[in-house]
């Protein structure tokens, strides 16, 4: 059974179609890279999967559980979408860390907010928070930030901030980790730093969707590649299929001009 099934997702803004009947599947432990020209719908697709934008129609299924059906879910509340969002961990292009919190506090924050809904929270608050903090420390140590976890975002380099953001996305143990242009705000040296972390996650069989313009990286790390253009999936296949033997004229033109 696929870990993710996306069926006929469409989205428009102000009567302008941005996603047009998008469908694909993913297997657990694989990496899907989404490439294409700017304005092709890549980020909107990622935001729809995370319910930061709500699709106009279509279905999203994770591990066999139907999270969204555009025909049925017209009355979903914000809380309904918040709970469904937990299946996905999103890493933004510009880090989006809270400046008033340390790296450790940024990583632990979501877990502590969710912990308040546990029935045993009032009686076990200190132990619950201690467990969340310890997990956050382990993640930051894995990211090479053991000595930086009590620093604030402004005290960290861009690459370090993005590694904090990755740790934060991992903290709630999502089914799928999503990256939206994770290196676009970084210089070449820091880009390599972050891509190394993502490669390690891929080697450890995390299920990941990566929107990226780093073509050589996408070719190296992906099991599946989607090329998007003008709101449609113009081509989908293995890295060898899409990069070395593209069949769609839009894909061929993209690589010619890239």
């Amino acid at each position: 059974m696929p870990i993710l099934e996306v069926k006929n997702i469409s989205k428009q803004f102000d009567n302008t179609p941005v996603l047009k009947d998008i469908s694909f599947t993913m297997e657990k432990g694989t990496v899907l890279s989404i490439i294409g020209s700017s304005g092709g719908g890549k980020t909107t697709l990622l935001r729809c999967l995370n319910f930061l934008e709500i699709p106009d129609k279509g279905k999203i299924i994770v591990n066999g559980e139907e999270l969204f059906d555009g025909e049925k879910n017209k009355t979903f509340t914000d809380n309904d979408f918040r709970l469904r969002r937990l299946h996905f961990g999103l890493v933004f292009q510009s880090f989006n860390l809270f400046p008033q919190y340390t790296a450790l506090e940024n990583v632990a924050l979501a877990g502590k907010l969710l912990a308040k809904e546990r029935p045993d929270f009032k009686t076990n608050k200190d132990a619950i928070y201690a467990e969340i903090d310890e997990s956050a420390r382990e993640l930051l140590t894995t990211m090479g930030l053991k000595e930086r976890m009590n620093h604030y975002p402004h005290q960290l380099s861009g690459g370090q901030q993005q590694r904090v953001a990755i740790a934060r996305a991992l903290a709630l143990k999502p089914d799928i980790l999503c990256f939206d242009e994770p290196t676009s705000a970084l210089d070449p040296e820091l880009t390599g730093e972050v891509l190394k972390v993502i490669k390690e996650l891929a080697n450890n069989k995390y299920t990941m969707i990566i929107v990226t313009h780093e073509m050589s990286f996408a070719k190296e790390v992906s099991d599946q590649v989607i090329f998007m253009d003008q709101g449609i999936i113009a081509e989908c296949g293995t890295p060898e299929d899409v990069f070395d033997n593209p069949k769609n004229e839009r894909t061929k033109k993209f690589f010619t001009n890239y």
Side-chain angles (χ1 to χ4, degrees), residues 91-118:
V91 179
F92 299 89
Q93 8 183 333
S94 53
F95 325 134
N96 285 24
L97 300 179
F98 292 104
Q100 70 273 32
Y101 296 137
T102 65
L104 179 65
E105 290 167 338
N106 266 280
V107 176
L109 179 61
K112 289 182 177 180
L113 291 174
L114 286 171
K116 294 178 182 180
E117 300 176 9
R118 290 175 49 167

Side-chain angles (χ1 to χ4, degrees), residues 170-240:
L170 289 167
L172 297 180
K173 299 179 173 60
D175 293 297
I176 302 166
L177 191 59
C178 302
F179 296 86
D180 183 15
E181 297 284 5
T183 61
S184 64
L186 305 176
D187 62 35
E189 181 179 351
L190 298 179
T191 291
E193 182 182 302
V194 170
L195 293 182
K196 180 181 177 183
V197 171
I198 299 174
K199 287 178 185 177
E200 290 172 354
L201 294 172
N203 290 336
N204 288 322
K205 296 300 181 182
Y206 281 86
T207 307
M208 297 190 290
I209 301 174
I210 307 170
V211 171
T212 183
H213 285 293
E214 299 285 342
M215 297 299 136
S216 59
F217 169 73
K219 185 174 182 179
E220 177 185 355
V221 77
S222 304
D223 299 287
Q224 183 181 4
V225 176
I226 283 175
F227 175 78
M228 289 190 66
D229 184 56
Q230 298 180 16
I232 69 166
I233 293 178
E235 192 140 6
C236 179
T238 66
E240 292 76 17

Side-chain angles (χ1 to χ4, degrees), residues 29-255:
T30 62
V31 177
L32 166 66
S33 287
I34 303 177
I35 63 172
S37 55
S38 297
K42 305 183 299 299
T43 292
T44 299
L45 173 58
L46 213 56
R47 290 177 65 84
C48 282
L49 294 180
N50 284 271
F51 301 110
L52 296 175
E53 302 287 352
I54 309 305
D56 297 321
K57 68 174 186 176
K59 295 183 179 182
I60 299 172
I61 301 167
V62 174
N63 283 326
E65 178 186 352
E66 187 175 271
L67 302 186
F68 178 80
D69 182 335
E71 296 300 316
K72 301 177 184 176
N73 304 142
K74 303 295 186 182
T75 59
F76 269 8
T77 65
D78 288 344
N79 190 57
D80 291 327
F81 286 119
R82 182 178 66 84
L83 293 175
R84 283 155 175 76
R85 197 172 292 135
L86 297 176
H87 291 275
F88 300 88
L90 180 57
V91 179
F92 299 89
Q93 8 183 333
S94 53
F95 325 134
N96 285 24
L97 300 179
F98 292 104
Q100 70 273 32
Y101 296 137
T102 65
L104 179 65
E105 290 167 338
N106 266 280
V107 176
L109 179 61
K112 289 182 177 180
L113 291 174
L114 286 171
K116 294 178 182 180
E117 300 176 9
R118 290 175 49 167
D120 62 338
F121 175 73
K122 289 185 178 179
T123 55
N124 294 312
K125 176 182 175 181
D126 290 345
I128 291 170
Y129 276 6
E131 182 180 347
I132 292 170
D133 282 337
E134 181 57 30
S135 177
R137 289 190 189 94
E138 290 175 1
L139 283 168
L140 287 167
T141 299
T142 300
M143 294 293 148
L145 296 170
K146 183 177 181 180
E147 307 302 323
R148 296 281 187 168
M149 59 181 67
N150 292 317
H151 286 58
Y152 291 88
H154 74 272
Q155 297 173 306
L156 303 173
S157 71
Q160 290 168 337
Q161 290 185 65
Q162 194 61 299
R163 282 184 278 153
V164 174
I166 294 171
R168 180 181 60 184
L170 289 167
L172 297 180
K173 299 179 173 60
D175 293 297
I176 302 166
L177 191 59
C178 302
F179 296 86
D180 183 15
E181 297 284 5
T183 61
S184 64
L186 305 176
D187 62 35
E189 181 179 351
L190 298 179
T191 291
E193 182 182 302
V194 170
L195 293 182
K196 180 181 177 183
V197 171
I198 299 174
K199 287 178 185 177
E200 290 172 354
L201 294 172
N203 290 336
N204 288 322
K205 296 300 181 182
Y206 281 86
T207 307
M208 297 190 290
I209 301 174
I210 307 170
V211 171
T212 183
H213 285 293
E214 299 285 342
M215 297 299 136
S216 59
F217 169 73
K219 185 174 182 179
E220 177 185 355
V221 77
S222 304
D223 299 287
Q224 183 181 4
V225 176
I226 283 175
F227 175 78
M228 289 190 66
D229 184 56
Q230 298 180 16
I232 69 166
I233 293 178
E235 192 140 6
C236 179
T238 66
E240 292 76 17
D241 291 336
V242 176
F243 287 104
D244 298 335
N245 299 293
K247 296 178 176 60
N248 189 282
E249 291 303 317
R250 300 190 197 199
T251 318
K252 294 177 182 177
K253 183 177 179 181
F254 174 79
F255 288 127

